Amino acid sequence: AGTFQGALNVTIVCPGPCPIHGVDAVGTEAASLATYIGVQTYEPDVVINAGTCGGFQKRGAAIGDVYLVDEFRRHDRRIPIPAFASYADGSMEASTQTALLVDALKESWDVEKGPEAKGAVKQGLLTTGNSFANTDRCVEVMESFGAHVKDMEGQAVAWTCHITHTKLIGIKSVTDIVDREEGTAPGESEFLENLSAAARSLKTALVIVLKVLQARELDHV
């Protein structure tokens, strides 16, 4: 915990390592639990879900792009009972003004990163699933959503923020291409190769968003 430029109180909450397997606890269970404990403990005005993601190049994603999420969905929760269709889909719109944040982020990003980085800030739909690799059915569902990016936590964080009445900003940086050409490096290799660069992009975006939050009343974000 600390303050940003002496004005905003910022607390970083991470799931940490799995106590059973000794690796980072990724996925929806850890994300929901960490978010819930964080909200109950710190009572934040807003949660920022910052992380990496895979991107769909057919919808404009490129390595290092930063996405502000305007809708969250699930692509791997398949329940073939009609009453559960919307729950399985898990659709939730962002609880903050994504377009406003995107405009502010684009303006500062272009100044800070220069002309060569123009166009790297985008907004779009994030779909969440508990597997890094995709089944054919997962791909089919993601395509039906028109997903721009995919991750393993976002919709779970959105659901937890919704039930705790907490505002949420989703920021994701692209490490790998979901719909890459056949014969190119597999997603996990691409992810590891680009993780540092995506993290740097994410860091830049987070600082800009914190400055926006500092300059505006939360009700106007």
Side-chain angles (χ1 to χ4, degrees):
T3 59
F4 177 77
Q5 297 186 342
L8 291 179
N9 293 320
V10 178
T11 301
I12 298 175
V13 176
C14 298
C18 171
I20 300 171
H21 301 288
V23 296
D24 291 340
V26 299
T28 56
E29 297 92 344
S32 290
L33 182 59
T35 304
Y36 184 79
I37 292 173
V39 167
Q40 294 300 308
T41 302
Y42 301 108
E43 299 181 350
D45 295 313
V46 61
V47 167
I48 300 177
N49 175 223
T52 59
C53 64
F56 289 82
Q57 60 184 358
K58 70 174 64 175
R59 282 180 277 277
I63 301 297
D65 282 355
V66 172
Y67 275 82
L68 281 161
V69 181
D70 55 24
E71 185 178 358
F72 301 83
R73 289 199 179 190
R74 288 289 296 267
H75 60 262
D76 67 345
R77 191 161 59 188
R78 296 184 284 277
I79 308 173
I81 303 172
F84 285 84
S86 61
Y87 174 76
D89 175 286
S91 177
M92 292 190 176
E93 293 185 357
S95 55
T96 47
Q97 297 182 47
T98 308
L100 181 152
L101 290 169
V102 167
D103 289 343
L105 182 53
K106 281 181 178 178
E107 183 177 352
S108 296
W109 182 278
D110 292 345
V111 170
E112 185 161 337
K113 291 285 194 177
E116 68 280 0
K118 193 175 182 66
V121 176
K122 298 164 183 173
Q123 72 182 82
L125 186 151
L126 170 73
T127 182
T128 296
N130 271 310
S131 294
F132 186 92
N134 302 311
T135 66
D136 290 342
R137 179 57 180 158
C138 285
V139 173
E140 183 180 325
V141 174
M142 289 188 285
E143 287 298 323
S144 74
F145 293 159
H148 295 87
V149 288
K150 63 158 287 215
D151 77 346
M152 297 176 66
E153 296 88 17
Q155 193 276 343
V157 175
W159 181 82
T160 306
C161 286
H162 178 78
I163 66 171
T164 56
H165 309 289
T166 308
K167 280 196 168 188
L168 170 66
I169 299 170
I171 308 176
K172 301 290 174 177
S173 183
V174 177
T175 54
D176 56 282
I177 299 301
V178 179
D179 54 341
R180 61 191 172 278
E181 296 179 4
E182 290 187 18
T184 57
E188 59 270 24
S189 299
E190 195 175 33
F191 168 81
L192 293 170
E193 180 181 344
N194 297 313
L195 181 58
S196 293
R200 289 193 294 270
S201 293
L202 189 63
K203 177 182 176 181
T204 300
L206 281 169
V207 170
I208 295 171
V209 168
L210 287 174
K211 288 178 179 178
V212 173
L213 294 176
Q214 182 180 12
R216 295 175 178 269
E217 294 290 335
L218 189 60
D219 289 343
H220 297 150
V221 173

